[in-house]
Each structure stands twice: as C-alpha cells, then as structure tokens.
Amino acid sequence: MCWSLRDGLRDSLVAAAPYGGPIALLREPLRRSPSSRPQLEIYSASGVGIASFPWKSGPVVHLGWTVSDELLCIQEDGSVLIYDLFGSFKRHFSMGQEVVQSQVLEAKVFHSPYGTGVAIVTGSSRFTLATNIDDLKLRRLPEVPGNTCLLFRFSGILSGFSWSLFRFSCILLGFFWSLFRFSQILSGFSWVKLQVLVESCSGSTPLQQDPCVLIGELDGVRIISSTNQELLQEVPLVCQDIFKIASMAPGALLLEAHREYEVTCLLACAWRVSKCLVLQAASFGKCFLTDFSPDQFVSTCRELRVLNAVRESSVGLPLTHAQFKQMTLQVLIDRLVYRQFYPLAIEICRYLKIPDYQGVSRVLKHWASCKVQQKDLSDEAIARAVCVKVGDSPGVSYSDIAAKAYECGRTELAIKLLDFEARSGEQVPLLLKMKRSQLALSKAVESGDTDLVYTVVNYLKNEMNRGDFFMTLRNQPVALSLYRQFCKLQEQETLKDLYNQDDNHQELANYYVTASYKEKRLESRLSLLQSAVDEYNKAKNEFAAKATMEALLALGLHKQAEQLYRDFRVPDKRYWWLKLKSLAEKEEWEELEKFSKSKKSPIGYLAFVEVCIKCNNKYEAKKYVSKVTPEQKVKAHLAVSDLEGAADAAIERRNEAEMGAVLSRCSASDRLVIDRLNRARAGAAKK
C-alpha cells in the first residue's frame, strides 16, 4: 500500500468499495471535541490519497460506498451524508424521525438489484431499511426482543443480522479458525462455493498481525491492512486440473488433448496462478490446430494487459478477470473517466478497438465537461484547448459542452464553444436559453433553415415588446422577409404595423387594396381604396422629395432642404437620418452639434454616436454618449471603447446580458473592470 498510516487502522472506521474500489478511512469517529475533529480520508485501492478533509458533522456510526463510488456516512442521529469520490458534498437524507430520538446503534450499506440500500438498528431494538437511496422509501421492521438473530429473505438473498453486533461475517474468537462452506452468502461478500471469512475480537488474524479489514468481492475477499492488501480466493478447479501432481487433464497434456486445451488453458489465464506459463502453453498449442480461431486467445491477452494497466499503484484498480467480466468494459471506462484518468481510458478504448461513440468520444466529452469548470484558465484558453483536443471527433457535441459551461456561469465561454458547433440546430436553442436572442437569430439565418428562423422569430415575438421586435427584424432582412410571408397568411394586422413602422407607403397601399376585396359593404371598400390612393401619393412624393433633399444636403443648402421637408411632410425620422449622414460625411461637426440641439432627436442619440464612429471621429461621438437613453448607454459606451463607462451603466441597470457584453470586450489588462463586473454578477445572482 502506498499510504503511510502512523497508527495503522486502529480506532478507525474503514470502508472499501467492491470491484477494487476506493477506500474511506475516518479516524476516531466518535471524537466530539470541536478543537480536534476527526479526519476523513479517501484513498485509491493502492493507498494513493484522493481527498482528505476534517469531519465537521455529528458522530459517524458507519461508512459505506454505493455502486457508483459515492461515499455514505451514517451518523448516530440517522442522517446519511453523501460525498463523491473527491470529497465534495452532494446531498443528505434521514432515516426517519424515530431514529433521531432513539439513535443508531449499528448500520450497514448493502447492494441489491434495486440499487444501494441502507439498514440500521436503533436503540429501541427496531430495524429500518431503505432498499434504494436514490428512490428513498423507508421500511420499519417489528421490534426484536433480547439478544436474538433475525433471519429474513431480502431480494432473494438470505441475510443474517446479529442483534449484538449486526454481523455479516463469521466470528472467530481468540485465534481459532472456523471454516464454513456456504451455498449462498450475503451479497456484501460474494457467492463463492468455499469462502473463508476470518475476524477476531481484536480485528487481527494469524495471517494479519495488524488490524485488518475484510471486503467481500465477487470471487474472493480483499484483506486490507496498514501495510498491504491481499486477495484471498479459492483456487479454481480449472487451475487445479492443470497444475496438480500427475494430472491427466487436457490442459496438462496439451499436445495430446489439443481439441479441448482452450477450455482449460484460456479460462485459467484469467487467474493469477502462472499466467505466463499457461499463456505460453496456449500459444504453443494453437499452432497445431488447423481449424482453431485465435479470436478468444487474442481477446483474453488484450483483457489481461488492460487489467495489468489498471492494477498499477498510480491507478489503483486491482480487478480480477472475473470481476472485470462482471463489471463489463464500459463500466471500467466510466470508472477511469470518473477518476480523471483520461489518457489511460483513451488508450484502452483504442487498444480494444471500441467504437468511437462508445469509447474515445465519450471520454473526450467528459474531459471537456471537466475542463470548462477550471476557474484558473481564461475562456479563450479553454475554448482553444477543447477545440484542439476534441476536433471533429464523432459523437461529441460542442453544444453539450457549451451547456455545461453555461451551467457553471461561464456564458462567454459557452458562446465561444458554440462557434465550433457545426449544427445550427444545436446552437440556437442554447443561445435562446442564454438570452442571446439576436445572436441566435443570426445563426438561424446563416443555417438557411427556415423552420429554425421561424422558431427564433416566434420566440423573439413573445419575449420582446413590439417596437424592439420590429427593430431587431429590420437588422435581419431574411428573417424580416420570412416574417412578412408568415403575416400575409396568418396575421394581417401585424403586417400593416410592419409597413407603418418602416414608412413603407408603397406596400401599405398594396395592403389596403388587398383588404378592400374582403369587404362586403361598399362604403368600407371605398374607404380602403381611398387610403390606398393616399399611400400611393405619399410613396411617389416621398421618393422625389427624398432624392431632392439628398442633393440639397450634399450641396450644403440646408435651409432649402428643410423647406422641402416641411412642404412635403417628409417623416421626421427620415429627414433627421438624411441630414445626420450628410453632415457627418462632409465632416461639418459644429453644424452637426447644433442640429442635435435644435430639438429632441426622433431617432435618438445612439445614431449620432454610431455615425461619428463610422466616420472615424471618436472625439465627436463621445459628445452624444451622455444623451443616449439608459437602455442604450452600454452600447454607446462600447462604441467609443469606454469600458469603464459601459461597466458603470450595466451595473447600474443590473442587466446580466449587458454585463456579459462588456466582459466580452475586456482584455487581460482590464482586470479591475472584470473584477467589478464579476462581483456585480455574483451579487445579482444571490438576489
């Protein structure tokens, strides 16, 4: 064992998971002094430390492991605390209020076809069972009088509970040995024809002078002490037939019994006794067979090499071949992945030629999900590492990895990872979940999938007010066109609002003409047709007026352009946009400033900022930032590269999306701004 235990296993609660699983050790579990707390330590099966932390809860009666390597800590008050392999607390549950009052005398963790269960006996002589902790249903058995042994059949297994010590093993008093042959024994140990279970009152045996712990396995008993670990097994009959003196078995007489050697030798290879010798015999014998398929021999050799690799002390999974077969290869890969032995898991998958979607891709997906949780690396570094490692591996979805990053509060990292996702159908739902609706709409349009575009548009329609919704669609012509087609068939009134919003008099006139055909009353039809005539006239006049105004403004004839604007009743927004662009393109900044102060801008002041930036004049753009509405402040500050101002505006509005937008523009040198935003986001999340 790789550990170094000063006091051995004395005065300690020890629990080891089956199938070569981890070992948990709690020293002096009943110590109650707050100044000196017990230490809970978790080791691999080879004694390599995995986790260690002081125990701050109540006195512990028993430790046990679930089938998924989760540690159960059963306390005196009936509370069961669950930790993962790395010592992180996951959840807890109680064995009932009655247990809290009468206290737990002893407890056991057992495994059954239903899952991992817990059985306890209380101070009031009552048994309480939970057959599956993941679907908790408590069963209370009648009170047990006196010092008796209760026998009952549970899930097909005959179990014995000793009232005094609630024992599942045979008791050895003093140093006398007792050998028992079982046809069926407790699931906590195993189903073995001949099982030797040894335990003395002091916890030591003639074989083990130090205190030791016995752990039942499928095909034997693990004996764990402070210095080493051994596996006690019954020698298989197949090995006896090969190696006993004067054996005439087919395996012993390999050359003469070549038709049956594979039955004995290959099965014997799975056992630790003289594996090399048996393998050499099997390899030699198959050379004399003409119709023998080497697949079983090759498969056995590969499996033994895998077992040798996981038995290394650095990995600490001392599995036998029988345990490996019972566990299955997929579970072994899962355990290696859970322990974060990713390179070894990938090598085993490739060596055994497991399909990518079951092997390497599954390992890489788990690795990437853990990688995005590393807080000491930047979003850019993690995204780059995941892209390089995962690449185009089949079966790995970047959207799943991005979803994990989003769950960890790393929205910007999730967006970067989504850029590597080739399927837009996987990108868009997560972007909508992250409230990045405009980016989701852009991705949907880029995909060319009209159904996906309609899905995003419908989501935006329900989430945004009508004005913002129309403005968003205006920036995406394809989405706007599709939405217009939808409105023509389903929502005629919305189509009318769209044309009004865009001052599209030509289409609005067409709308009135179409609507007139649906009217039955002559007066209504004439009214709609008159509205159509008016809109056609506006469209014609506005087109001519717009062209003339553009020419006048280009020549600097502002008074004449303004007179034309009044005479032809050109919409305010259109006139302001024309004059703004004309003054900025001619770099008449003083005139532009006077124009902005002439009256309240119908197009807002963010337009002034954006036009100035487009003309490469950040100095002029900053003059209009203070006039922008609060909803557009962050965008205005970002336009002039004022990160501190943008951060102030986002924090003041407590807007998560705006804080994320500012963070995405920050570099490593903007550490103060990043810290402020992260604190603000954390505070908002708590509220």
Side-chain angles (χ1 to χ4, degrees):
M1 299 293 285
C2 297
W3 61 23
S4 178
L5 303 179
R6 185 177 57 184
D7 299 324
L9 300 178
R10 290 186 178 85
D11 300 325
S12 300
L13 276 180
V14 183
Y19 294 95
I23 303 171
L25 186 148
L26 181 64
R27 296 188 178 279
E28 300 181 15
L30 300 179
R31 187 191 303 168
R32 300 175 184 268
S33 172
S35 60
S36 178
R37 299 182 183 276
Q39 192 77 7
L40 180 58
E41 301 168 355
I42 300 176
Y43 298 92
S44 70
S46 58
V48 176
I50 297 176
S52 177
F53 57 93
W55 183 256
K56 299 180 180 179
S57 192
V60 178
V61 176
H62 183 73
L63 298 175
W65 292 91
T66 68
V67 292
S68 55
D69 283 353
E70 292 177 338
L71 179 62
L72 303 183
C73 303
I74 306 173
Q75 300 185 147
E76 278 186 349
D77 61 358
S79 298
V80 181
L81 282 66
I82 303 179
Y83 294 82
D84 67 11
L85 179 64
F86 302 100
S88 298
F89 177 76
K90 299 191 68 175
R91 59 188 177 92
H92 76 282
F93 63 89
S94 175
M95 295 297 289
Q97 189 62 33
E98 177 187 346
V99 180
V100 176
Q101 299 173 355
S102 56
Q103 299 289 295
V104 177
L105 290 185
E106 193 155 354
K108 289 291 178 182
V109 175
F110 59 91
H111 303 138
S112 73
Y114 302 101
T116 300
V118 175
I120 64 170
V121 62
T122 67
S124 58
S125 305
R126 284 185 178 274
F127 287 93
T128 301
L129 297 176
T131 57
N132 184 2
I133 62 172
D134 294 323
D135 183 18
L136 193 63
K137 294 179 182 178
L138 299 179
R139 295 176 54 194
R140 291 180 176 81
L141 303 182
E143 180 179 347
V144 182
N147 186 10
T148 62
C149 182
L150 174 67
L151 297 177
F152 64 94
R153 183 170 294 275
F154 175 70
S155 68
I157 301 173
L158 186 64
S159 303
F161 293 85
S162 170
W163 163 245
S164 59
L165 291 175
F166 204 43
R167 294 292 187 195
F168 290 108
S169 59
C170 302
I171 307 301
L172 176 67
L173 300 176
F175 293 99
F176 293 97
W177 289 74
S178 295
L179 303 179
F180 295 87
R181 182 178 295 274
F182 295 93
S183 60
Q184 291 180 332
I185 63 175
L186 293 178
S187 62
F189 287 95
S190 52
W191 300 86
V192 184
K193 290 184 178 179
L194 180 60
Q195 181 80 45
V196 181
L197 305 177
V198 184
E199 185 175 336
S200 70
C201 297
S202 62
S204 61
T205 71
L207 290 180
Q208 298 283 344
Q209 297 301 324
D210 294 333
C212 62
V213 179
L214 306 180
I215 307 299
E217 293 285 5
L218 174 72
D219 53 350
V221 178
R222 285 165 67 192
I223 304 175
I224 302 174
S225 70
S226 59
T227 57
N228 54 31
Q229 178 177 196
E230 298 176 359
L231 181 66
L232 182 62
Q233 291 180 294
E234 180 184 10
V235 178
L237 292 176
V238 64
C239 289
Q240 296 179 30
D241 290 342
I242 293 176
F243 295 105
K244 69 182 180 182
I245 299 175
S247 173
M248 298 296 293
L253 305 174
L254 183 58
L255 295 179
E256 291 79 9
H258 57 79
R259 288 177 299 176
E260 297 187 19
Y261 91 94
E262 65 267 28
V263 178
T264 56
C265 291
L266 287 181
L267 290 176
C269 290
W271 296 86
R272 300 185 64 181
V273 181
S274 301
K275 285 188 296 185
C276 292
L277 180 61
V278 177
L279 282 173
Q280 290 173 0
S283 179
F284 175 75
K286 68 182 179 64
C287 297
F288 296 89
L289 300 176
T290 57
D291 58 347
F292 173 71
S293 174
D295 292 344
Q296 186 180 2
F297 177 79
V298 173
S299 175
T300 303
C301 291
R302 287 178 176 272
E303 290 170 355
L304 291 176
R305 286 176 178 172
V306 169
L307 290 177
N308 286 336
V310 299
R311 287 171 185 160
E312 290 291 333
S313 59
S314 58
V315 180
L317 281 174
L319 291 171
T320 64
H321 191 266
Q323 293 170 8
F324 170 72
K325 284 296 189 183
Q326 179 70 19
M327 174 190 287
T328 72
L329 176 60
Q330 290 298 329
V331 176
L332 175 60
I333 297 298
D334 288 340
R335 291 201 171 190
L336 290 173
V337 167
Y338 184 52
R339 288 163 170 77
Q340 299 183 3
F341 291 112
Y342 301 113
L344 178 59
I346 290 174
E347 287 301 316
I348 290 176
C349 291
R350 290 172 176 165
Y351 180 67
L352 296 180
K353 299 179 180 178
I354 303 175
D356 284 343
Y357 69 93
Q358 292 180 338
V360 175
S361 295
R362 194 159 56 94
V363 176
L364 288 175
K365 181 179 177 181
H366 193 283
W367 168 83
S369 298
C370 291
K371 188 72 174 179
V372 299
Q373 301 178 48
Q374 293 184 358
K375 298 180 179 179
D376 57 330
L377 295 177
S378 66
D379 294 346
E380 187 67 32
I382 293 178
R384 193 183 310 111
V386 170
C387 178
V388 171
K389 194 77 172 180
V390 175
D392 297 326
S393 300
V396 181
S397 172
Y398 282 99
S399 61
D400 292 339
I401 304 171
K404 187 66 177 180
Y406 178 65
E407 290 174 7
C408 299
R410 306 188 72 165
T411 306
E412 296 305 318
L413 173 58
I415 293 174
K416 291 180 184 296
L417 290 171
L418 281 177
D419 289 337
F420 302 123
E421 177 61 61
R423 297 167 295 175
S424 299
E426 298 291 331
Q427 293 177 313
V428 170
L430 184 57
L431 288 171
L432 292 177
K433 184 179 179 181
M434 294 189 296
K435 307 297 183 184
R436 298 301 179 92
S437 52
Q438 295 191 14
L439 183 57
L441 184 58
S442 299
K443 295 290 185 182
V445 171
E446 290 173 5
S447 70
D449 186 344
T450 55
D451 292 336
L452 193 59
V453 176
Y454 278 127
T455 300
V456 179
V457 168
N458 188 56
Y459 174 86
L460 295 178
K461 179 183 175 184
N462 296 329
E463 292 292 320
M464 305 172 72
N465 61 59
R466 184 175 286 256
D468 292 340
F469 173 61
F470 287 160
M471 289 297 293
T472 301
L473 290 184
R474 182 180 293 177
N475 296 327
Q476 292 289 345
V478 175
L480 180 59
S481 176
L482 289 173
Y483 186 61
R484 282 174 178 167
Q485 294 178 21
F486 170 78
C487 291
K488 286 178 181 179
L489 299 175
Q490 302 289 337
E491 299 178 2
Q492 292 289 325
E493 286 299 318
T494 304
L495 184 63
K496 177 183 174 182
D497 294 339
L498 271 174
Y499 293 146
N500 274 322
Q501 179 81 9
D502 295 339
D503 291 330
N504 192 338
H505 299 292
Q506 182 72 30
E507 291 296 336
L508 193 56
N510 295 338
Y511 167 81
Y512 284 130
V513 172
T514 304
S516 68
Y517 285 100
K518 299 178 183 178
E519 291 292 337
K520 295 181 180 180
R521 296 176 63 251
L522 180 60
E523 294 82 358
S524 301
R525 183 174 294 182
L526 289 173
S527 176
L528 288 171
L529 289 174
Q530 183 59 48
S531 298
V533 171
D534 295 340
E535 294 299 329
Y536 279 130
N537 288 330
K538 289 180 182 179
K540 181 179 180 181
N541 292 337
E542 282 187 11
F543 179 78
K546 178 185 176 184
T548 306
M549 278 193 300
E550 286 180 345
L552 292 173
L553 291 171
L555 295 172
L557 302 174
H558 299 293
K559 290 184 179 181
Q560 291 84 341
E562 188 172 352
Q563 186 63 41
L564 191 64
Y565 145 69
R566 293 194 183 113
D567 291 343
F568 284 86
R569 297 181 180 179
V570 177
D572 290 347
K573 290 184 178 180
R574 182 166 297 176
Y575 173 70
W576 275 67
W577 268 112
L578 289 172
K579 189 166 183 178
L580 169 60
K581 291 180 179 178
S582 175
L583 292 173
E585 288 172 358
K586 295 175 65 177
E587 298 185 356
E588 295 181 3
W589 306 116
E590 292 183 5
E591 286 296 327
L592 180 61
E593 188 173 359
K594 291 178 183 179
F595 176 60
S596 69
K597 297 177 181 178
S598 60
K599 69 174 185 177
K600 185 177 180 181
S601 170
I603 59 175
Y605 291 94
L606 180 60
F608 284 77
V609 176
E610 291 176 341
V611 170
C612 291
I613 291 296
K614 190 175 180 180
C615 294
N616 301 316
N617 196 329
K618 188 183 294 186
Y619 175 78
E620 290 294 330
K622 290 181 178 179
K623 294 181 180 180
Y624 306 102
V625 172
S626 59
K627 298 181 180 182
V628 173
T629 59
E631 294 80 8
Q632 298 176 326
K633 271 279 172 60
V634 173
K635 192 173 181 180
H637 282 291
L638 290 177
V640 298
S641 303
D642 181 11
L643 294 178
E644 293 186 2
D648 292 337
I651 292 171
E652 183 178 353
R653 283 173 45 77
R654 298 180 182 177
N655 189 301
E656 178 73 18
E658 291 179 350
M659 292 183 194
V662 179
L663 280 172
S664 66
R665 295 283 295 274
C666 292
S667 61
S669 60
D670 302 313
R671 178 54 55 187
L672 295 177
V673 177
I674 294 173
D675 292 342
R676 284 182 57 206
L677 289 169
N678 287 333
R679 286 196 299 270
R681 294 175 77 181
K686 291 180 181 178
K687 294 180 180 180

